[in-house]
Amino acid sequence: MVDLAVIGAGLSGCALVAALQRRGWKGSILLLEAGRGPGGRCATRRRREDDRWRLDHGSPTLSFTQAPQGELNDLIAGLQGSDVIRPDDAPVVGVDHLGRQVPSPDHLLLSGPRWRGTPTMATVAEALLAHGGEAVEARFGERITTLRHDGSVWHLTGGHHARALVLSGTLLAHPRSLAMLGWQHVPLREAVAVGFDPQLDAALHQIAGLDASVRWNLMLELPKVSSNHLPRQIWLTAQAQERFGVERLVLHPQQDQRLGLVVHGLDDGAVITPDSQPELLRRHEQQLMEALSDLVQPWSALSNALAQARSLGVMRWGAAQPLHQGLSADLQWCSEARVGFCGDWIAGQGFGMAEGALQSALNLAERIACFSIAET
Ligand SMILES: Cc1cc2nc3c(=O)[nH]c(=O)nc-3n(C[C@H](O)[C@H](O)[C@H](O)COP(=O)(O)OP(=O)(O)OC[C@H]3O[C@@H](n4cnc5c(N)ncnc54)[C@H](O)[C@@H]3O)c2cc1C
């Protein structure tokens, strides 16, 4: 039995355990992650047969709407001081619907300061997790599919038991999982009877109304390309996004001058189920490959290298970016059921981006630290 189980080792889950440690929280923590390592949507794709290859296939950067303040500033300054992140001032440009280079379009993700993980984005979550200290046991490759609450203890897939629980993603709490994963029930709703914790009832009601966009990210390996004059991100204008179904291209130069290229493909609304997914992956790969030659025209080095591009497949980000509204911050901690939420889908500054994910973790750590789980 642990004091706290945290599901998800993305930015917010890892920042939460680091923040609890900084606050001197004494409880034991079990961090459970479905993926092979920490990072979540700020993870890095590696290849077994090629240990020099690294590709930031989700978020290429930590975006902020404004210079971080207070505890968030301390966190960023600490990561920068230990060279886990560096300011991301690499050029960002735009491309229009006729394939012409233009200034980068306005976008919230480009509106304020940005930082990059060094050498890769996954380093950020790895470093935060290391700050969690010895009280944290992290387990990877464990997808939690069932939750049970007996009135005081949480019981999770894999025989894990905890006095309190935090979900850093919406998977176990949102009806979208039913179609996507073929589940019969929303696990968190099933675990706690309606009325046991009115805060949780209100939170689940809000979560059911949340929406998120899907991304189909095509990952490519290009041969050695001189990347000196190449931008880091190429954003499509609204008209170009409409025409090509692509949000942006992200370039990831490798140590040996090969180039990683991620094409962030937009969703076309097709229903994703375990049965439809293989065909959808094939279709998006083909469409994104076809769009590329128009989109890289202004950069001859890229255009020339495209003929030798090798596809490393498409990654589907099921809830790439939360849309419209988030879970109210006052419902982040439901005290009766001892369940909390963090992630970029919590309403507030930096909603839908790295800033919001980190801030939500700091806010939740404050609530949990005040609530002494071990004593109750
Ligand atoms: C393609 C893409 C581009 C983006 N670009 C930018 C950008 O330019 N700038 C920016 O600031 N942000 C960007 N973002 C958003 C940014 O990546 C997120 O805001 C941030 O990574 C969210 O962190 P998180 O911890 O909230 O969630 P996540 O990273 O999603 O972490 C949740 C973790 O929980 C795990 N998990 C969920 N359910 C379970 C379960 N049942 N069992 C076990 N594990 C589970 C998941 O595997 C995941 O690792 C982008 C995102 C995507 C997908």
Side-chain angles (χ1 to χ4, degrees), residues 7-8 10-12 33-34 40-42 59 61 63 142 144 217 248 264 343-344 353-354:
I7 302 183
L11 275 188
S12 65
E33 165 59 50
R41 280 171 281 156
C42 280
S59 177
T61 189
S63 303
E142 288 215 30
I144 304 304
N217 279 13
R248 59 181 136 156
H264 290 230
D344 64 348
M353 53 209 272

mmCIF file with all atom_site columns, all heavy atoms in Angstrom, residues 7-8 10-12 33-34 40-42 59 61 63 142 144 217 248 264 343-344 353-354, ligand 1:
data_model
loop_
_atom_site.group_PDB
_atom_site.id
_atom_site.type_symbol
_atom_site.label_atom_id
_atom_site.label_alt_id
_atom_site.label_comp_id
_atom_site.label_asym_id
_atom_site.label_entity_id
_atom_site.label_seq_id
_atom_site.pdbx_PDB_ins_code
_atom_site.Cartn_x
_atom_site.Cartn_y
_atom_site.Cartn_z
_atom_site.occupancy
_atom_site.B_iso_or_equiv
_atom_site.pdbx_formal_charge
_atom_site.auth_seq_id
_atom_site.auth_comp_id
_atom_site.auth_asym_id
_atom_site.auth_atom_id
_atom_site.pdbx_PDB_model_num
ATOM   1   N N   . ILE A 1 7   ? -1.095 8.365  -11.769 1.00 0.00 ? 7   ILE A N   1
ATOM   2   C CA  . ILE A 1 7   ? -1.166 7.687  -13.069 1.00 0.00 ? 7   ILE A CA  1
ATOM   3   C C   . ILE A 1 7   ? -0.715 8.667  -14.147 1.00 0.00 ? 7   ILE A C   1
ATOM   4   O O   . ILE A 1 7   ? -1.363 9.692  -14.384 1.00 0.00 ? 7   ILE A O   1
ATOM   5   C CB  . ILE A 1 7   ? -2.584 7.160  -13.354 1.00 0.00 ? 7   ILE A CB  1
ATOM   6   C CG1 . ILE A 1 7   ? -2.993 6.196  -12.233 1.00 0.00 ? 7   ILE A CG1 1
ATOM   7   C CG2 . ILE A 1 7   ? -2.626 6.458  -14.711 1.00 0.00 ? 7   ILE A CG2 1
ATOM   8   C CD1 . ILE A 1 7   ? -4.351 5.556  -12.427 1.00 0.00 ? 7   ILE A CD1 1
ATOM   9   N N   . GLY A 1 8   ? 0.396  8.353  -14.771 1.00 0.00 ? 8   GLY A N   1
ATOM   10  C CA  . GLY A 1 8   ? 0.918  9.167  -15.864 1.00 0.00 ? 8   GLY A CA  1
ATOM   11  C C   . GLY A 1 8   ? 2.211  9.868  -15.513 1.00 0.00 ? 8   GLY A C   1
ATOM   12  O O   . GLY A 1 8   ? 2.287  10.615 -14.534 1.00 0.00 ? 8   GLY A O   1
ATOM   13  N N   . GLY A 1 10  ? 3.875  12.016 -17.579 1.00 0.00 ? 10  GLY A N   1
ATOM   14  C CA  . GLY A 1 10  ? 4.139  13.136 -18.479 1.00 0.00 ? 10  GLY A CA  1
ATOM   15  C C   . GLY A 1 10  ? 4.702  14.293 -17.662 1.00 0.00 ? 10  GLY A C   1
ATOM   16  O O   . GLY A 1 10  ? 5.091  14.124 -16.498 1.00 0.00 ? 10  GLY A O   1
ATOM   17  N N   . LEU A 1 11  ? 4.709  15.470 -18.273 1.00 0.00 ? 11  LEU A N   1
ATOM   18  C CA  . LEU A 1 11  ? 5.241  16.650 -17.573 1.00 0.00 ? 11  LEU A CA  1
ATOM   19  C C   . LEU A 1 11  ? 4.545  16.861 -16.236 1.00 0.00 ? 11  LEU A C   1
ATOM   20  O O   . LEU A 1 11  ? 5.185  17.125 -15.226 1.00 0.00 ? 11  LEU A O   1
ATOM   21  C CB  . LEU A 1 11  ? 4.972  17.917 -18.401 1.00 0.00 ? 11  LEU A CB  1
ATOM   22  C CG  . LEU A 1 11  ? 5.923  18.318 -19.499 1.00 0.00 ? 11  LEU A CG  1
ATOM   23  C CD1 . LEU A 1 11  ? 5.518  19.700 -19.995 1.00 0.00 ? 11  LEU A CD1 1
ATOM   24  C CD2 . LEU A 1 11  ? 7.364  18.319 -19.008 1.00 0.00 ? 11  LEU A CD2 1
ATOM   25  N N   . SER A 1 12  ? 3.199  16.785 -16.244 1.00 0.00 ? 12  SER A N   1
ATOM   26  C CA  . SER A 1 12  ? 2.473  17.145 -15.022 1.00 0.00 ? 12  SER A CA  1
ATOM   27  C C   . SER A 1 12  ? 2.661  16.095 -13.928 1.00 0.00 ? 12  SER A C   1
ATOM   28  O O   . SER A 1 12  ? 2.868  16.458 -12.764 1.00 0.00 ? 12  SER A O   1
ATOM   29  C CB  . SER A 1 12  ? 0.989  17.378 -15.318 1.00 0.00 ? 12  SER A CB  1
ATOM   30  O OG  . SER A 1 12  ? 0.374  16.194 -15.753 1.00 0.00 ? 12  SER A OG  1
ATOM   31  N N   . GLU A 1 33  ? 2.956  4.407  -15.393 1.00 0.00 ? 33  GLU A N   1
ATOM   32  C CA  . GLU A 1 33  ? 2.925  4.984  -16.738 1.00 0.00 ? 33  GLU A CA  1
ATOM   33  C C   . GLU A 1 33  ? 2.797  3.876  -17.778 1.00 0.00 ? 33  GLU A C   1
ATOM   34  O O   . GLU A 1 33  ? 3.529  2.882  -17.734 1.00 0.00 ? 33  GLU A O   1
ATOM   35  C CB  . GLU A 1 33  ? 4.216  5.808  -16.962 1.00 0.00 ? 33  GLU A CB  1
ATOM   36  C CG  . GLU A 1 33  ? 4.527  6.178  -18.404 1.00 0.00 ? 33  GLU A CG  1
ATOM   37  C CD  . GLU A 1 33  ? 3.420  7.015  -19.085 1.00 0.00 ? 33  GLU A CD  1
ATOM   38  O OE1 . GLU A 1 33  ? 2.990  8.022  -18.497 1.00 0.00 ? 33  GLU A OE1 1
ATOM   39  O OE2 . GLU A 1 33  ? 3.002  6.639  -20.191 1.00 0.00 ? 33  GLU A OE2 1
ATOM   40  N N   . ALA A 1 34  ? 1.882  4.082  -18.726 1.00 0.00 ? 34  ALA A N   1
ATOM   41  C CA  . ALA A 1 34  ? 1.674  3.083  -19.776 1.00 0.00 ? 34  ALA A CA  1
ATOM   42  C C   . ALA A 1 34  ? 2.861  3.024  -20.740 1.00 0.00 ? 34  ALA A C   1
ATOM   43  O O   . ALA A 1 34  ? 3.190  1.959  -21.269 1.00 0.00 ? 34  ALA A O   1
ATOM   44  C CB  . ALA A 1 34  ? 0.405  3.418  -20.548 1.00 0.00 ? 34  ALA A CB  1
ATOM   45  N N   . GLY A 1 40  ? 5.324  11.418 -21.791 1.00 0.00 ? 40  GLY A N   1
ATOM   46  C CA  . GLY A 1 40  ? 3.966  11.605 -22.323 1.00 0.00 ? 40  GLY A CA  1
ATOM   47  C C   . GLY A 1 40  ? 4.007  12.317 -23.658 1.00 0.00 ? 40  GLY A C   1
ATOM   48  O O   . GLY A 1 40  ? 4.725  11.906 -24.577 1.00 0.00 ? 40  GLY A O   1
ATOM   49  N N   . ARG A 1 41  ? 3.264  13.417 -23.762 1.00 0.00 ? 41  ARG A N   1
ATOM   50  C CA  . ARG A 1 41  ? 3.244  14.166 -25.029 1.00 0.00 ? 41  ARG A CA  1
ATOM   51  C C   . ARG A 1 41  ? 4.511  14.979 -25.232 1.00 0.00 ? 41  ARG A C   1
ATOM   52  O O   . ARG A 1 41  ? 4.708  15.575 -26.288 1.00 0.00 ? 41  ARG A O   1
ATOM   53  C CB  . ARG A 1 41  ? 1.988  15.048 -25.078 1.00 0.00 ? 41  ARG A CB  1
ATOM   54  C CG  . ARG A 1 41  ? 0.742  14.265 -25.466 1.00 0.00 ? 41  ARG A CG  1
ATOM   55  C CD  . ARG A 1 41  ? -0.490 15.101 -25.290 1.00 0.00 ? 41  ARG A CD  1
ATOM   56  N NE  . ARG A 1 41  ? -0.914 15.167 -23.905 1.00 0.00 ? 41  ARG A NE  1
ATOM   57  C CZ  . ARG A 1 41  ? -1.653 16.140 -23.388 1.00 0.00 ? 41  ARG A CZ  1
ATOM   58  N NH1 . ARG A 1 41  ? -2.035 17.140 -24.143 1.00 0.00 ? 41  ARG A NH1 1
ATOM   59  N NH2 . ARG A 1 41  ? -2.014 16.108 -22.124 1.00 0.00 ? 41  ARG A NH2 1
ATOM   60  N N   . CYS A 1 42  ? 5.363  15.033 -24.225 1.00 0.00 ? 42  CYS A N   1
ATOM   61  C CA  . CYS A 1 42  ? 6.711  15.632 -24.387 1.00 0.00 ? 42  CYS A CA  1
ATOM   62  C C   . CYS A 1 42  ? 7.742  14.507 -24.364 1.00 0.00 ? 42  CYS A C   1
ATOM   63  O O   . CYS A 1 42  ? 8.781  14.624 -23.702 1.00 0.00 ? 42  CYS A O   1
ATOM   64  C CB  . CYS A 1 42  ? 7.002  16.616 -23.264 1.00 0.00 ? 42  CYS A CB  1
ATOM   65  S SG  . CYS A 1 42  ? 6.253  18.224 -23.480 1.00 0.00 ? 42  CYS A SG  1
ATOM   66  N N   . SER A 1 59  ? 5.330  17.219 -28.539 1.00 0.00 ? 59  SER A N   1
ATOM   67  C CA  . SER A 1 59  ? 5.636  18.647 -28.415 1.00 0.00 ? 59  SER A CA  1
ATOM   68  C C   . SER A 1 59  ? 7.131  18.876 -28.634 1.00 0.00 ? 59  SER A C   1
ATOM   69  O O   . SER A 1 59  ? 7.955  18.217 -28.023 1.00 0.00 ? 59  SER A O   1
ATOM   70  C CB  . SER A 1 59  ? 5.241  19.137 -27.021 1.00 0.00 ? 59  SER A CB  1
ATOM   71  O OG  . SER A 1 59  ? 5.603  20.489 -26.899 1.00 0.00 ? 59  SER A OG  1
ATOM   72  N N   . THR A 1 61  ? 8.626  21.674 -27.875 1.00 0.00 ? 61  THR A N   1
ATOM   73  C CA  . THR A 1 61  ? 9.076  22.792 -27.045 1.00 0.00 ? 61  THR A CA  1
ATOM   74  C C   . THR A 1 61  ? 8.143  22.965 -25.850 1.00 0.00 ? 61  THR A C   1
ATOM   75  O O   . THR A 1 61  ? 7.026  22.435 -25.850 1.00 0.00 ? 61  THR A O   1
ATOM   76  C CB  . THR A 1 61  ? 9.094  24.070 -27.938 1.00 0.00 ? 61  THR A CB  1
ATOM   77  O OG1 . THR A 1 61  ? 9.717  25.138 -27.253 1.00 0.00 ? 61  THR A OG1 1
ATOM   78  C CG2 . THR A 1 61  ? 7.699  24.521 -28.340 1.00 0.00 ? 61  THR A CG2 1
ATOM   79  N N   . SER A 1 63  ? 6.037  25.693 -24.295 1.00 0.00 ? 63  SER A N   1
ATOM   80  C CA  . SER A 1 63  ? 5.558  27.041 -24.629 1.00 0.00 ? 63  SER A CA  1
ATOM   81  C C   . SER A 1 63  ? 4.901  27.686 -23.418 1.00 0.00 ? 63  SER A C   1
ATOM   82  O O   . SER A 1 63  ? 4.167  27.016 -22.676 1.00 0.00 ? 63  SER A O   1
ATOM   83  C CB  . SER A 1 63  ? 4.521  26.984 -25.748 1.00 0.00 ? 63  SER A CB  1
ATOM   84  O OG  . SER A 1 63  ? 5.033  26.360 -26.878 1.00 0.00 ? 63  SER A OG  1
ATOM   85  N N   . GLU A 1 142 ? 2.938  0.063  -17.666 1.00 0.00 ? 142 GLU A N   1
ATOM   86  C CA  . GLU A 1 142 ? 1.747  -0.375 -16.896 1.00 0.00 ? 142 GLU A CA  1
ATOM   87  C C   . GLU A 1 142 ? 0.575  0.523  -17.236 1.00 0.00 ? 142 GLU A C   1
ATOM   88  O O   . GLU A 1 142 ? 0.502  1.660  -16.778 1.00 0.00 ? 142 GLU A O   1
ATOM   89  C CB  . GLU A 1 142 ? 2.024  -0.303 -15.396 1.00 0.00 ? 142 GLU A CB  1
ATOM   90  C CG  . GLU A 1 142 ? 2.970  -1.376 -14.932 1.00 0.00 ? 142 GLU A CG  1
ATOM   91  C CD  . GLU A 1 142 ? 2.643  -1.887 -13.532 1.00 0.00 ? 142 GLU A CD  1
ATOM   92  O OE1 . GLU A 1 142 ? 1.455  -1.873 -13.140 1.00 0.00 ? 142 GLU A OE1 1
ATOM   93  O OE2 . GLU A 1 142 ? 3.591  -2.285 -12.839 1.00 0.00 ? 142 GLU A OE2 1
ATOM   94  N N   . ILE A 1 144 ? -3.138 1.381  -16.657 1.00 0.00 ? 144 ILE A N   1
ATOM   95  C CA  . ILE A 1 144 ? -4.205 1.123  -15.677 1.00 0.00 ? 144 ILE A CA  1
ATOM   96  C C   . ILE A 1 144 ? -5.543 1.158  -16.411 1.00 0.00 ? 144 ILE A C   1
ATOM   97  O O   . ILE A 1 144 ? -5.866 2.132  -17.097 1.00 0.00 ? 144 ILE A O   1
ATOM   98  C CB  . ILE A 1 144 ? -4.171 2.182  -14.547 1.00 0.00 ? 144 ILE A CB  1
ATOM   99  C CG1 . ILE A 1 144 ? -2.786 2.220  -13.885 1.00 0.00 ? 144 ILE A CG1 1
ATOM   100 C CG2 . ILE A 1 144 ? -5.265 1.902  -13.522 1.00 0.00 ? 144 ILE A CG2 1
ATOM   101 C CD1 . ILE A 1 144 ? -2.292 0.902  -13.319 1.00 0.00 ? 144 ILE A CD1 1
ATOM   102 N N   . ASN A 1 217 ? 0.856  12.363 -36.365 1.00 0.00 ? 217 ASN A N   1
ATOM   103 C CA  . ASN A 1 217 ? 2.196  12.891 -36.629 1.00 0.00 ? 217 ASN A CA  1
ATOM   104 C C   . ASN A 1 217 ? 3.041  11.890 -37.420 1.00 0.00 ? 217 ASN A C   1
ATOM   105 O O   . ASN A 1 217 ? 3.356  10.800 -36.931 1.00 0.00 ? 217 ASN A O   1
ATOM   106 C CB  . ASN A 1 217 ? 2.896  13.248 -35.312 1.00 0.00 ? 217 ASN A CB  1
ATOM   107 C CG  . ASN A 1 217 ? 2.443  14.599 -34.787 1.00 0.00 ? 217 ASN A CG  1
ATOM   108 O OD1 . ASN A 1 217 ? 1.453  15.149 -35.270 1.00 0.00 ? 217 ASN A OD1 1
ATOM   109 N ND2 . ASN A 1 217 ? 3.152  15.136 -33.811 1.00 0.00 ? 217 ASN A ND2 1
ATOM   110 N N   . ARG A 1 248 ? 1.839  21.968 -38.777 1.00 0.00 ? 248 ARG A N   1
ATOM   111 C CA  . ARG A 1 248 ? 3.221  22.489 -38.860 1.00 0.00 ? 248 ARG A CA  1
ATOM   112 C C   . ARG A 1 248 ? 4.188  21.365 -39.163 1.00 0.00 ? 248 ARG A C   1
ATOM   113 O O   . ARG A 1 248 ? 3.836  20.180 -39.024 1.00 0.00 ? 248 ARG A O   1
ATOM   114 C CB  . ARG A 1 248 ? 3.626  23.158 -37.540 1.00 0.00 ? 248 ARG A CB  1
ATOM   115 C CG  . ARG A 1 248 ? 3.563  22.220 -36.363 1.00 0.00 ? 248 ARG A CG  1
ATOM   116 C CD  . ARG A 1 248 ? 3.931  22.871 -35.035 1.00 0.00 ? 248 ARG A CD  1
ATOM   117 N NE  . ARG A 1 248 ? 3.012  22.464 -33.999 1.00 0.00 ? 248 ARG A NE  1
ATOM   118 C CZ  . ARG A 1 248 ? 3.288  22.467 -32.691 1.00 0.00 ? 248 ARG A CZ  1
ATOM   119 N NH1 . ARG A 1 248 ? 4.445  22.900 -32.253 1.00 0.00 ? 248 ARG A NH1 1
ATOM   120 N NH2 . ARG A 1 248 ? 2.394  22.064 -31.826 1.00 0.00 ? 248 ARG A NH2 1
ATOM   121 N N   . HIS A 1 264 ? 3.073  17.454 -38.393 1.00 0.00 ? 264 HIS A N   1
ATOM   122 C CA  . HIS A 1 264 ? 1.949  17.414 -37.449 1.00 0.00 ? 264 HIS A CA  1
ATOM   123 C C   . HIS A 1 264 ? 0.647  17.452 -38.244 1.00 0.00 ? 264 HIS A C   1
ATOM   124 O O   . HIS A 1 264 ? 0.193  18.522 -38.679 1.00 0.00 ? 264 HIS A O   1
ATOM   125 C CB  . HIS A 1 264 ? 2.027  18.593 -36.480 1.00 0.00 ? 264 HIS A CB  1
ATOM   126 C CG  . HIS A 1 264 ? 3.152  18.488 -35.488 1.00 0.00 ? 264 HIS A CG  1
ATOM   127 N ND1 . HIS A 1 264 ? 2.989  18.654 -34.127 1.00 0.00 ? 264 HIS A ND1 1
ATOM   128 C CD2 . HIS A 1 264 ? 4.468  18.215 -35.653 1.00 0.00 ? 264 HIS A CD2 1
ATOM   129 C CE1 . HIS A 1 264 ? 4.147  18.487 -33.520 1.00 0.00 ? 264 HIS A CE1 1
ATOM   130 N NE2 . HIS A 1 264 ? 5.061  18.231 -34.425 1.00 0.00 ? 264 HIS A NE2 1
ATOM   131 N N   . GLY A 1 343 ? -2.666 18.247 -15.182 1.00 0.00 ? 343 GLY A N   1
ATOM   132 C CA  . GLY A 1 343 ? -2.427 18.118 -16.622 1.00 0.00 ? 343 GLY A CA  1
ATOM   133 C C   . GLY A 1 343 ? -2.802 19.412 -17.316 1.00 0.00 ? 343 GLY A C   1
ATOM   134 O O   . GLY A 1 343 ? -3.369 20.325 -16.703 1.00 0.00 ? 343 GLY A O   1
ATOM   135 N N   . ASP A 1 344 ? -2.510 19.461 -18.610 1.00 0.00 ? 344 ASP A N   1
ATOM   136 C CA  . ASP A 1 344 ? -2.765 20.694 -19.359 1.00 0.00 ? 344 ASP A CA  1
ATOM   137 C C   . ASP A 1 344 ? -4.250 20.924 -19.607 1.00 0.00 ? 344 ASP A C   1
ATOM   138 O O   . ASP A 1 344 ? -4.634 21.929 -20.185 1.00 0.00 ? 344 ASP A O   1
ATOM   139 C CB  . ASP A 1 344 ? -1.982 20.698 -20.680 1.00 0.00 ? 344 ASP A CB  1
ATOM   140 C CG  . ASP A 1 344 ? -2.423 19.597 -21.626 1.00 0.00 ? 344 ASP A CG  1
ATOM   141 O OD1 . ASP A 1 344 ? -3.165 18.680 -21.209 1.00 0.00 ? 344 ASP A OD1 1
ATOM   142 O OD2 . ASP A 1 344 ? -2.035 19.648 -22.809 1.00 0.00 ? 344 ASP A OD2 1
ATOM   143 N N   . MET A 1 353 ? -1.148 23.600 -22.918 1.00 0.00 ? 353 MET A N   1
ATOM   144 C CA  . MET A 1 353 ? 0.266  23.617 -23.295 1.00 0.00 ? 353 MET A CA  1
ATOM   145 C C   . MET A 1 353 ? 1.138  23.284 -22.082 1.00 0.00 ? 353 MET A C   1
ATOM   146 O O   . MET A 1 353 ? 0.620  23.119 -20.971 1.00 0.00 ? 353 MET A O   1
ATOM   147 C CB  . MET A 1 353 ? 0.629  24.977 -23.903 1.00 0.00 ? 353 MET A CB  1
ATOM   148 C CG  . MET A 1 353 ? 0.258  26.169 -23.071 1.00 0.00 ? 353 MET A CG  1
ATOM   149 S SD  . MET A 1 353 ? -0.075 27.630 -24.090 1.00 0.00 ? 353 MET A SD  1
ATOM   150 C CE  . MET A 1 353 ? 1.554  28.313 -24.212 1.00 0.00 ? 353 MET A CE  1
ATOM   151 N N   . ALA A 1 354 ? 2.447  23.218 -22.316 1.00 0.00 ? 354 ALA A N   1
ATOM   152 C CA  . ALA A 1 354 ? 3.359  22.796 -21.250 1.00 0.00 ? 354 ALA A CA  1
ATOM   153 C C   . ALA A 1 354 ? 3.219  23.673 -20.010 1.00 0.00 ? 354 ALA A C   1
ATOM   154 O O   . ALA A 1 354 ? 3.239  23.181 -18.879 1.00 0.00 ? 354 ALA A O   1
ATOM   155 C CB  . ALA A 1 354 ? 4.790  22.830 -21.782 1.00 0.00 ? 354 ALA A CB  1
HETATM 156 C C1  . LIG B 2 .   ? 1.707  16.891 -31.363 1.00 0.00 ? 1   LIG B C1  1
HETATM 157 C C2  . LIG B 2 .   ? 1.740  17.817 -30.168 1.00 0.00 ? 1   LIG B C2  1
HETATM 158 C C3  . LIG B 2 .   ? 2.337  19.062 -30.262 1.00 0.00 ? 1   LIG B C3  1
HETATM 159 C C4  . LIG B 2 .   ? 2.383  19.909 -29.163 1.00 0.00 ? 1   LIG B C4  1
HETATM 160 N N1  . LIG B 2 .   ? 3.032  21.107 -29.243 1.00 0.00 ? 1   LIG B N1  1
HETATM 161 C C5  . LIG B 2 .   ? 3.192  21.871 -28.146 1.00 0.00 ? 1   LIG B C5  1
HETATM 162 C C6  . LIG B 2 .   ? 3.984  23.051 -28.188 1.00 0.00 ? 1   LIG B C6  1
HETATM 163 O O1  . LIG B 2 .   ? 4.517  23.441 -29.217 1.00 0.00 ? 1   LIG B O1  1
HETATM 164 N N2  . LIG B 2 .   ? 4.144  23.752 -27.021 1.00 0.00 ? 1   LIG B N2  1
HETATM 165 C C7  . LIG B 2 .   ? 3.573  23.343 -25.834 1.00 0.00 ? 1   LIG B C7  1
HETATM 166 O O2  . LIG B 2 .   ? 3.773  23.989 -24.809 1.00 0.00 ? 1   LIG B O2  1
HETATM 167 N N3  . LIG B 2 .   ? 2.805  22.244 -25.782 1.00 0.00 ? 1   LIG B N3  1
HETATM 168 C C8  . LIG B 2 .   ? 2.606  21.501 -26.911 1.00 0.00 ? 1   LIG B C8  1
HETATM 169 N N4  . LIG B 2 .   ? 1.856  20.359 -26.845 1.00 0.00 ? 1   LIG B N4  1
HETATM 170 C C9  . LIG B 2 .   ? 1.143  20.064 -25.591 1.00 0.00 ? 1   LIG B C9  1
HETATM 171 C C10 . LIG B 2 .   ? 2.086  19.473 -24.536 1.00 0.00 ? 1   LIG B C10 1
HETATM 172 O O3  . LIG B 2 .   ? 2.723  18.339 -25.068 1.00 0.00 ? 1   LIG B O3  1
HETATM 173 C C11 . LIG B 2 .   ? 1.249  19.102 -23.338 1.00 0.00 ? 1   LIG B C11 1
HETATM 174 O O4  . LIG B 2 .   ? 0.610  20.267 -22.835 1.00 0.00 ? 1   LIG B O4  1
HETATM 175 C C12 . LIG B 2 .   ? 2.014  18.462 -22.185 1.00 0.00 ? 1   LIG B C12 1
HETATM 176 O O5  . LIG B 2 .   ? 2.976  17.544 -22.631 1.00 0.00 ? 1   LIG B O5  1
HETATM 177 C C13 . LIG B 2 .   ? 0.987  17.788 -21.304 1.00 0.00 ? 1   LIG B C13 1
HETATM 178 O O6  . LIG B 2 .   ? 1.585  17.111 -20.240 1.00 0.00 ? 1   LIG B O6  1
HETATM 179 P P1  . LIG B 2 .   ? 0.631  16.289 -19.268 1.00 0.00 ? 1   LIG B P1  1
HETATM 180 O O7  . LIG B 2 .   ? 1.459  15.717 -18.196 1.00 0.00 ? 1   LIG B O7  1
HETATM 181 O O8  . LIG B 2 .   ? -0.516 17.158 -18.905 1.00 0.00 ? 1   LIG B O8  1
HETATM 182 O O9  . LIG B 2 .   ? -0.016 15.129 -20.156 1.00 0.00 ? 1   LIG B O9  1
HETATM 183 P P2  . LIG B 2 .   ? 0.658  13.896 -20.902 1.00 0.00 ? 1   LIG B P2  1
HETATM 184 O O10 . LIG B 2 .   ? 1.968  14.254 -21.459 1.00 0.00 ? 1   LIG B O10 1
HETATM 185 O O11 . LIG B 2 .   ? -0.378 13.389 -21.848 1.00 0.00 ? 1   LIG B O11 1
HETATM 186 O O12 . LIG B 2 .   ? 0.887  12.838 -19.739 1.00 0.00 ? 1   LIG B O12 1
HETATM 187 C C14 . LIG B 2 .   ? -0.090 11.922 -19.326 1.00 0.00 ? 1   LIG B C14 1
HETATM 188 C C15 . LIG B 2 .   ? 0.589  10.569 -19.182 1.00 0.00 ? 1   LIG B C15 1
HETATM 189 O O13 . LIG B 2 .   ? -0.319 9.684  -18.570 1.00 0.00 ? 1   LIG B O13 1
HETATM 190 C C16 . LIG B 2 .   ? -0.183 8.420  -19.165 1.00 0.00 ? 1   LIG B C16 1
HETATM 191 N N5  . LIG B 2 .   ? -1.443 7.723  -18.946 1.00 0.00 ? 1   LIG B N5  1
HETATM 192 C C17 . LIG B 2 .   ? -2.687 8.189  -19.225 1.00 0.00 ? 1   LIG B C17 1
HETATM 193 N N6  . LIG B 2 .   ? -3.606 7.273  -18.863 1.00 0.00 ? 1   LIG B N6  1
HETATM 194 C C18 . LIG B 2 .   ? -2.929 6.225  -18.343 1.00 0.00 ? 1   LIG B C18 1
HETATM 195 C C19 . LIG B 2 .   ? -3.332 4.964  -17.807 1.00 0.00 ? 1   LIG B C19 1
HETATM 196 N N7  . LIG B 2 .   ? -4.621 4.620  -17.735 1.00 0.00 ? 1   LIG B N7  1
HETATM 197 N N8  . LIG B 2 .   ? -2.365 4.118  -17.336 1.00 0.00 ? 1   LIG B N8  1
HETATM 198 C C20 . LIG B 2 .   ? -1.058 4.476  -17.395 1.00 0.00 ? 1   LIG B C20 1
HETATM 199 N N9  . LIG B 2 .   ? -0.626 5.638  -17.915 1.00 0.00 ? 1   LIG B N9  1
HETATM 200 C C21 . LIG B 2 .   ? -1.554 6.503  -18.388 1.00 0.00 ? 1   LIG B C21 1
HETATM 201 C C22 . LIG B 2 .   ? 0.088  8.719  -20.630 1.00 0.00 ? 1   LIG B C22 1
HETATM 202 O O14 . LIG B 2 .   ? 0.740  7.635  -21.258 1.00 0.00 ? 1   LIG B O14 1
HETATM 203 C C23 . LIG B 2 .   ? 0.969  9.957  -20.525 1.00 0.00 ? 1   LIG B C23 1
HETATM 204 O O15 . LIG B 2 .   ? 2.342  9.624  -20.505 1.00 0.00 ? 1   LIG B O15 1
HETATM 205 C C24 . LIG B 2 .   ? 1.796  19.499 -27.935 1.00 0.00 ? 1   LIG B C24 1
HETATM 206 C C25 . LIG B 2 .   ? 1.185  18.243 -27.835 1.00 0.00 ? 1   LIG B C25 1
HETATM 207 C C26 . LIG B 2 .   ? 1.158  17.401 -28.939 1.00 0.00 ? 1   LIG B C26 1
HETATM 208 C C27 . LIG B 2 .   ? 0.530  16.039 -28.822 1.00 0.00 ? 1   LIG B C27 1
#
